[in-house]
Every structure is written in C-alpha cells, then in structure tokens.
Amino acid sequence: MQEKQLHSGKKNLFFNKDYISEFVYGGIDGAITTFAVVAGAEGADLGIQVVVILGMANLIADGFSMSVGNFFSTKTERDTFERHKQIEYWEVENLREKEIQEIREIYAAKGFKGELLEQVVEVITADKEVWVDTMMKEELEMVKSDKTPYKTAGMTFFSFVIVGSVPLLSYFFAGRGPAIDEELFPFSCILTAVALAIIGSLKSIVTEKNLFFGILETLFLGGIAAFLAYFVGDVLEKMFVNF
Amino acid sequence: MQEKQLHSGKKNLFFNKDYISEFVYGGIDGAITTFAVVAGAEGADLGIQVVVILGMANLIADGFSMSVGNFFSTKTERDTFERHKQIEYWEVENLREKEIQEIREIYAAKGFKGELLEQVVEVITADKEVWVDTMMKEELEMVKSDKTPYKTAGMTFFSFVIVGSVPLLSYFFAGRGPAIDEELFPFSCILTAVALAIIGSLKSIVTEKNLFFGILETLFLGGIAAFLAYFVGDVLEKMFVNF
C-alpha cells in the first residue's frame, strides 16, 4: 500500500472530492435525461423541432428541479444533525443520570470496566461539548456533513446544464441540408458517448475505483436509458399510427 | 419537549425513515420531470401524441437512470466506508506507534490527561475493532450507512414511476372529443398538484418539519419547474415559427 493512500488528515481527503461528486452526478443525470428525450423523440420520428424544444425544456426544468432537490436534501441532512444535537443537549441537561448511564454503557462496550470506566465517564461528562459529541457519534452514529447546500446545488445545476447540453449540440446544425439532418442523431450519440466517457472517468476519481470500469459503467447506464426511451418512443408511435 | 421526540435507540429512529426518504425524493423527481415534459410540450403546442410518447419515454428512461444512479451512489458510500476501514486496519497493524499517538491526541482533545489518558489509550488500542471504530468516527468522521443499494434503488424506481405517471393520467382520456382534449392539461395540472401535495406532506415526515411548509415547498418547486418548461417550450416554438 502506497503512502499517499493512507489517512493523513480529514480535510485534504474530503474537501475537494465533495464537489467533484456533485459535478459527476449532475452531469451524468443531465446528459442521460436529455439524451433520453432526444432518443425518445427520434424513436417516435417526432422531428428536429420537437427534439430541440423538449431537449431544452428538459435541460432547464429538470436541471432546476434536480438542483433544488439537492439543495433541500443537503439542507435537511444538516438540519437533522443540528436538531438531534439540540435534543442531546436537552437530554444532557434534563435527563442527566440516564445520559451518564448511556456513556457508561458505550465505554463498557469498548472494553472499559471498574474504576477506570468510572473515571472515563467522569471526564466525558465533565464537558458538555465532548459529552454531546460522543452521544452523536456513538449512540446516533451521526456525523456533520461538510457540504453547504448552496454549493452542492450550484455545482449540480452548472454540471447538469453544461454536460446535459451535449446531446443537443448537433441539432444546432439542423436545416443545413437533408443529408446533414439525417446525421444529427448519430452525431448526437457519439458526442453524448464522449461526454459520458469523460464524466465516467471523473466518477472513478470520486469512487476511487478502476478508471476503465467507471467509464464503462457510465456508458452502459446512458446506453440502456437511451435504448429504453427510443424503444418506448418507437412502440408508442406505432400504436398511435395504428390507432 | 415530549418524551416521544427523545432518543431512545438508533434502529427505531432511522430504520423506516430511510426508505420513506427514497420514496419521497423519487416521487418528487418523477412527478416534476414528467410534468415538465407535459408542460414543455403544451407550451410549444406539440399535441397530445407528443405529450404521451415523451412523457412515457421520460418515465421509463429517467426512472431507470435515477434508480441506477441511486444504486451506485449508495453502493459507493458503503464501499468507500469499507475501503477506509481496511486502510485503518492496515495502519493499525503496520503503523502502530503513529496510530497509538492519534488515539492519544483524540482523547487528549476530549479532556483526558496524564496517567488516565495513558490508561484510556491502552484499553482502546487493546481491541483492534474498537481501535479502528474509534479512528473511523473520530479521525475520519465516517459512519456506516444502514441503507442497502438494492432497496434504495428499487424504492426510487417504484416511486418515480408511480408518482411520475400522475401528470400523464388525464391524457389517457384523449380523443373522447375536442371539448375534453382542451381540458387535459388543466386536469393534468390539478392531478399533479394533488400528487405533489401528498408527497410534500410525506416529505415533512422525513425532514421532521412543519407539514404546511413541506407541502408548499414541494408545490412551489414543481410549479417553477413546470413554468420554466412551459416558457422554454413556448419561446422556442415561436422562434421556430418565425424561422
């Protein structure tokens, strides 16, 4: 095992990765859902105009919805932590004996006993900060997230819109001749695959896994989603035609 | 503060809520993104066929993509925890003195000193499980998630498809006469609003916040997303017409 893989400090290890993670998941979702709209519309032969209109509508509306959802979920996590911390402070103030007993049980489970256990309980419960911090980690198994809701939501939206616009790029060349128009969807497939491969390689940084595996996984996921959308579009179009 | 709000045990508090959370976020995303497709298509006057085809394509493809994304993200979280735990085991075996010093520093920060501090360090480092567990919580501030990837992904897909099909329900009555067709979008708006209100009230259970606030927040989010999609659809359609 190499030295650089070892734990040398919390901040270095987690700080930047947090927001890469938002970039990766926002980008994957943006590219896949926009490409699904494109593939669904192509499968149903709905025309270039529909692809561009609904692709753009998806980009803005879904990007907004995902970012705000992300904002609330990050915020809820932080709020939940703070609320439970307040409950612990209240319990430490008002149910002192019960909470002392909980600390005793926590440290007994770690192997402390007798006089040493009582001394440990005394030191932990002497400082309310340390006492509550111990209850949060050991009883509730909750730790505070470093992420701020505004940053996670902003990064998600940015990535969703930027990466998510890739499947639409080729359609901006629509109307330059019928020969080109027929190549728009194949070009969109290629561009989207390249974008997903790049973001898949970034993902392997977040998950600390094999680069090749990260790329394949992301491409596979995007491919299945697009296939499903194309297939649903195709089947439904035939149903409408035969209706 | 009422008794029932207090901390009485980890499992009761978190077990069921985990999957309600997946249901809530999957459902909100399903309803909002499908409704955005409907609103975008209506804004651009693309017709009922387009609404149904792309609404269904979005439901399947986006639902799939979101669930698989959820699967990998839950799995990554668990894998990351396990890998860092393995690193800690390795360090405890191979960098024994450094890790003992880290335990000493962690407990010194809690207020232990002198002979008592040394005794605490001795007990903690006597049991590798306890030692590594302490490093995970105190140095890395990581706790293991109770959620399993298959369950979170399954619940997300289920909720996405069920709640996400609500905006499309009224369109199944298309073709029963022109008077009815004009009412499809208003009906879809009402049904979607009801679904978002119900899921918003469930959300307030997850976030442990005010019921009214949870409902308003979800409705507001869905409303803005739909407005953006409708607006983008409308503007782009006019651009195409004038093109």
Side-chain angles (χ1 to χ4, degrees):
Chain A
M1 197 172 289
Q2 288 164 11
E3 186 64 30
K4 62 173 176 164
Q5 284 182 280
L6 302 179
H7 295 142
S8 54
K10 194 179 143 286
K11 283 293 164 194
N12 292 336
L13 199 67
F14 288 92
F15 180 68
N16 282 318
K17 247 180 218 172
D18 280 351
Y19 299 106
I20 292 182
S21 150
E22 310 297 328
F23 184 83
V24 166
Y25 290 107
I28 290 177
D29 215 61
I32 288 180
T33 59
T34 310
F35 189 57
V37 170
V38 172
E42 288 283 349
D45 288 322
L46 294 178
I48 291 164
Q49 190 173 338
V50 173
V51 169
V52 174
I53 290 178
L54 287 184
M56 293 290 287
N58 176 74
L59 210 57
I60 303 298
D62 203 355
F64 169 81
S65 146
M66 193 184 168
S67 315
V68 179
N70 180 293
F71 179 88
F72 285 124
S73 125
T74 310
K75 192 165 174 301
T76 297
E77 205 181 305
R78 288 168 76 95
D79 290 353
T80 303
F81 180 88
E82 285 304 324
R83 198 171 41 256
H84 285 289
K85 197 166 175 178
Q86 292 313 314
I87 295 177
E88 285 297 343
Y89 269 111
W90 186 91
E91 292 185 346
V92 157
E93 297 274 359
N94 295 281
L95 302 169
R96 204 179 148 79
E97 286 312 311
K98 174 173 165 287
E99 295 298 301
I100 289 176
Q101 181 55 25
E102 283 180 0
I103 291 290
R104 191 176 286 120
E105 283 162 17
I106 287 166
Y107 275 87
K110 287 185 198 293
F112 289 88
K113 49 189 168 229
E115 180 57 25
L116 182 57
L117 176 59
E118 290 312 312
Q119 285 177 297
V120 166
V121 171
E122 201 174 298
V123 174
I124 295 283
T125 57
D127 182 334
K128 274 195 189 111
E129 295 283 326
V130 172
W131 191 353
V132 166
D133 183 67
T134 305
M135 298 306 292
M136 293 302 290
K137 283 175 180 157
E138 304 283 350
E139 187 201 17
L140 300 176
E141 301 206 334
M142 289 176 97
V143 290
K144 189 172 183 167
S145 169
D146 278 347
K147 297 187 186 187
T148 65
Y150 289 102
K151 282 189 192 166
T152 59
M155 184 58 107
T156 300
F157 186 75
F158 172 77
S159 175
F160 191 98
V161 170
I162 297 294
V163 186
S165 64
V166 170
L168 297 174
L169 285 182
S170 67
Y171 289 88
F172 294 128
F173 295 95
R176 308 287 168 94
I180 289 181
D181 283 4
E182 274 177 20
E183 288 165 2
L184 295 178
F185 186 54
F187 264 113
S188 176
C189 293
I190 293 167
L191 287 177
T192 306
V194 171
L196 284 176
I198 293 172
I199 209 115
S201 67
L202 278 178
K203 195 176 97 167
S204 70
I205 297 175
V206 178
T207 59
E208 294 173 17
K209 287 224 172 117
N210 184 282
L211 182 72
F212 183 69
F213 186 73
I215 293 174
L216 260 193
E217 200 175 77
T218 311
L219 279 178
F220 185 71
L221 173 57
I224 301 268
F227 171 78
L228 287 172
Y230 188 91
F231 182 73
V232 170
D234 192 39
V235 166
L236 287 181
E237 193 232 354
K238 282 178 185 133
M239 278 172 58
F240 274 105
V241 167
N242 298 327
F243 203 45
Chain B
M1 197 172 289
Q2 288 164 10
E3 187 63 27
K4 64 175 179 167
Q5 283 182 280
L6 302 179
H7 295 141
S8 54
K10 196 179 141 287
K11 284 293 166 193
N12 292 336
L13 198 65
F14 289 94
F15 180 68
N16 281 319
K17 248 180 217 174
D18 279 352
Y19 299 106
I20 292 183
S21 149
E22 310 297 329
F23 184 83
V24 166
Y25 289 107
I28 290 178
D29 216 60
I32 288 181
T33 60
T34 311
F35 189 57
V37 170
V38 172
E42 288 284 350
D45 288 320
L46 294 177
I48 291 164
Q49 190 173 337
V50 173
V51 169
V52 174
I53 290 177
L54 288 185
M56 293 290 286
N58 176 74
L59 210 57
I60 304 298
D62 204 354
F64 169 82
S65 145
M66 194 184 166
S67 315
V68 180
N70 181 293
F71 179 88
F72 284 125
S73 125
T74 309
K75 193 164 174 301
T76 297
E77 205 181 305
R78 287 168 77 96
D79 291 352
T80 303
F81 181 88
E82 284 306 325
R83 197 169 44 254
H84 285 288
K85 196 167 176 176
Q86 292 312 315
I87 296 176
E88 284 297 341
Y89 270 111
W90 186 90
E91 292 186 346
V92 157
E93 297 273 358
N94 297 281
L95 301 169
R96 204 178 148 78
E97 287 311 312
K98 176 172 163 287
E99 295 297 302
I100 289 176
Q101 180 57 25
E102 283 181 359
I103 292 290
R104 191 175 287 120
E105 283 163 17
I106 287 166
Y107 275 88
K110 288 187 196 294
F112 289 87
K113 48 189 171 237
E115 181 56 26
L116 182 58
L117 175 59
E118 291 312 312
Q119 285 176 296
V120 167
V121 171
E122 202 174 297
V123 175
I124 295 284
T125 57
D127 181 336
K128 273 195 190 112
E129 295 283 326
V130 173
W131 191 352
V132 166
D133 183 67
T134 305
M135 297 306 292
M136 292 303 288
K137 284 178 181 155
E138 304 283 350
E139 188 201 17
L140 299 176
E141 302 206 333
M142 288 176 99
V143 289
K144 189 171 184 169
S145 169
D146 278 347
K147 299 187 185 186
T148 66
Y150 289 103
K151 283 189 192 165
T152 60
M155 184 55 109
T156 301
F157 186 74
F158 172 77
S159 174
F160 192 98
V161 171
I162 296 294
V163 185
S165 65
V166 171
L168 297 174
L169 285 181
S170 67
Y171 289 88
F172 294 128
F173 295 94
R176 309 285 168 94
I180 288 181
D181 283 6
E182 272 176 22
E183 287 165 3
L184 295 178
F185 186 55
F187 264 112
S188 175
C189 292
I190 293 166
L191 287 176
T192 307
V194 172
L196 285 176
I198 292 171
I199 209 115
S201 67
L202 279 178
K203 196 176 95 166
S204 69
I205 297 175
V206 178
T207 60
E208 297 173 15
K209 287 224 173 117
N210 184 282
L211 182 73
F212 183 69
F213 186 72
I215 294 174
L216 260 194
E217 199 175 79
T218 311
L219 279 178
F220 185 71
L221 173 57
I224 301 268
F227 171 79
L228 287 173
Y230 188 92
F231 182 73
V232 170
D234 191 41
V235 166
L236 286 180
E237 192 232 355
K238 284 182 183 129
M239 280 172 58
F240 273 106
V241 168
N242 297 325
F243 203 47

